Amino acid sequence: MFSKLNNKNTLLWSRIGSRATFGLLALELGKNIDDIMILTSDVSTSAGLDRFRKTYSDKFLEIGIAEQNLIGIAAGLASENYKVITTTFAPFQTMRCCEQIKVNLGYMKQKVCMIGLASGLNLGTLGYTHCSIEDLSVMRSIPNITVISPADCGETVKAICSSLKHNESVYIRLTGGANNPIVYSDDYNFEIGKSIKLKKGNDITIFSTGTMVYESLQAANNLDKEGISASVINVHTLKPFDNEIIEEMSNKSKLFVTVEEHNVIGGLSSVIAEAKSELINSPPQLSIGIPDQYSEGGEYQYLKNKYGLN
């Protein structure tokens, strides 16, 4: 299967980044799924979908810069039992059409897989109109929406394939650009709603999501040299959240650390804090992410460095 990882495809996907990886996956989906429909808002090239658009023109709709219509049309197709994927840049996939997502997908429970491109700080040169540091918070707050933030391009493939089989609408948040670091070189079991332990440690637990999973593994290796043993957990699904991992790690850790390319309010930090609140005893929490503010724009790596996301 296309979603089975090996050294060859993970290297390719890493080089081209999550957007182009989605485009390659779309060709496989078009070939194997008769009733699939992919809709975009003027991003067929940016989403790596030009080959899909030309090869499977009957399975593709370009809605234009009209994101509210994107969700409305997607919901209509879903009501006729099509497997529907929508995609555009993350702030427009989530916030520009937020009411339509709430009403048509959350309230009416029409099933659509939404893919937010270039989320986080990746489009920092265009400023915070195009950065997306609020999308996890917004999408988590809408009932009947599953929220996924893949760690790398291989996990992006697994997340999309799993989402098409899932029982409710899914928002998939893609972070990072080309030359996206590899977290998973070998195949593994991906399950929506189940976090993955990547490294075992005895002192602290680092919970991370999206691009920050790789950075957290590097940080944990540095901590080992300082005599601090850190576990690293890949929280690829923020909703529904894996509450069992919190109880398990609370019994093993002196400190929880959350790391995300998102506002520290409403995203992973809030997910962990909410889960901890149900326990009688839990360790203190350090939240690393983007402060609750808009700053000047800049290159992606510059902004990551600015907020200590390295």
Side-chain angles (χ1 to χ4, degrees):
M1 287 182 62
F2 190 80
S3 62
K4 189 175 180 63
L5 306 191
N6 57 57
N7 189 59
K8 181 179 179 181
N9 59 22
T10 54
L11 283 172
L12 169 63
W13 296 339
S14 170
R15 283 200 302 270
I16 64 178
S18 57
R19 283 191 262 168
T21 297
F22 166 49
L24 291 179
L25 173 61
L27 290 170
E28 293 296 314
L29 297 176
K31 180 171 67 177
N32 292 295
I33 303 176
D34 291 335
D35 55 354
I36 195 166
M37 289 293 297
I38 299 181
L39 284 62
T40 74
S41 281
D42 199 35
V43 297
S44 64
T45 299
S46 299
L49 291 170
D50 281 344
R51 289 173 63 192
F52 179 89
R53 175 174 55 83
K54 295 171 183 176
T55 306
Y56 301 105
S57 58
D58 57 332
K59 299 180 179 182
F60 178 85
L61 285 176
E62 174 57 74
I63 309 303
I65 305 175
E67 290 80 2
Q68 294 93 338
N69 291 342
L70 175 76
I71 297 301
I73 294 168
L77 289 167
S79 74
E80 296 296 323
N81 298 315
Y82 284 94
K83 294 180 174 64
V84 187
I85 296 174
T86 64
T87 189
T88 183
F89 292 109
F92 316 130
Q93 174 65 90
T94 55
M95 286 169 282
R96 188 170 288 175
C97 50
C98 187
E99 183 184 1
Q100 285 70 30
I101 294 171
K102 169 193 169 180
V103 175
N104 294 334
L105 309 188
Y107 187 38
M108 296 176 65
K109 299 183 181 179
Q110 299 298 343
K111 161 69 187 300
V112 173
C113 176
M114 300 168 282
I115 299 177
L117 304 176
S119 191
L121 301 169
N122 190 41
L123 296 181
T125 53
L126 299 176
Y128 278 82
T129 55
H130 285 63
C131 291
S132 192
I133 64 170
E134 318 87 353
D135 51 338
L136 292 178
S137 177
V138 171
M139 299 306 287
R140 281 184 61 230
S141 68
I142 301 175
N144 304 312
I145 306 289
T146 290
V147 179
I148 300 175
S149 179
D152 64 5
C153 295
E155 192 158 78
T156 294
V157 170
K158 286 187 173 289
I160 295 171
C161 291
S162 296
S163 296
L164 289 172
K165 301 173 185 176
H166 193 50
N167 62 355
E168 67 180 16
S169 288
V170 182
Y171 172 58
I172 300 177
R173 180 187 206 244
L174 301 187
T175 49
N179 298 313
N180 204 326
I182 297 171
V183 174
Y184 297 100
S185 296
D186 300 318
D187 201 44
Y188 67 102
N189 182 48
F190 176 91
E191 181 181 349
I192 291 176
K194 194 69 177 175
S195 299
I196 300 175
K197 301 175 192 173
L198 296 177
K199 183 179 181 298
K200 293 181 179 180
N202 301 316
D203 296 321
I204 71 173
T205 300
I206 304 174
F207 296 92
S208 54
T209 191
T211 49
M212 293 299 103
V213 174
Y214 176 84
E215 301 290 358
S216 296
L217 286 168
Q218 302 306 303
N221 291 333
N222 290 339
L223 288 171
D224 282 341
K225 299 171 186 176
E226 301 294 330
I228 300 172
S229 176
S231 297
V232 177
I233 310 295
N234 170 19
V235 185
H236 54 67
T237 306
L238 287 91
K239 181 187 175 186
F241 179 63
D242 182 9
N243 284 282
E244 292 180 0
I245 198 74
I246 293 295
E247 186 167 2
E248 177 186 347
M249 303 313 294
S250 288
N251 296 324
K252 300 178 179 179
S253 305
K254 304 182 184 78
L255 175 71
F256 280 177
V257 181
T258 61
V259 193
E260 58 192 315
E261 195 177 322
H262 186 273
N263 192 330
V264 291
I265 296 175
L268 178 62
S269 174
S270 295
V271 170
I272 301 300
E274 290 161 13
K276 281 172 53 186
S277 70
E278 299 180 5
L279 302 179
I280 296 174
N281 294 302
S282 62
Q285 179 176 329
L286 170 64
S287 299
I288 299 174
I290 300 164
D292 185 35
Q293 64 185 43
Y294 295 120
S295 68
E296 76 283 356
E299 294 285 347
Y300 184 39
Q301 194 59 48
Y302 164 79
L303 292 175
K304 285 176 67 178
N305 291 341
K306 175 183 176 72
Y307 296 120
L309 300 176
N310 52 25

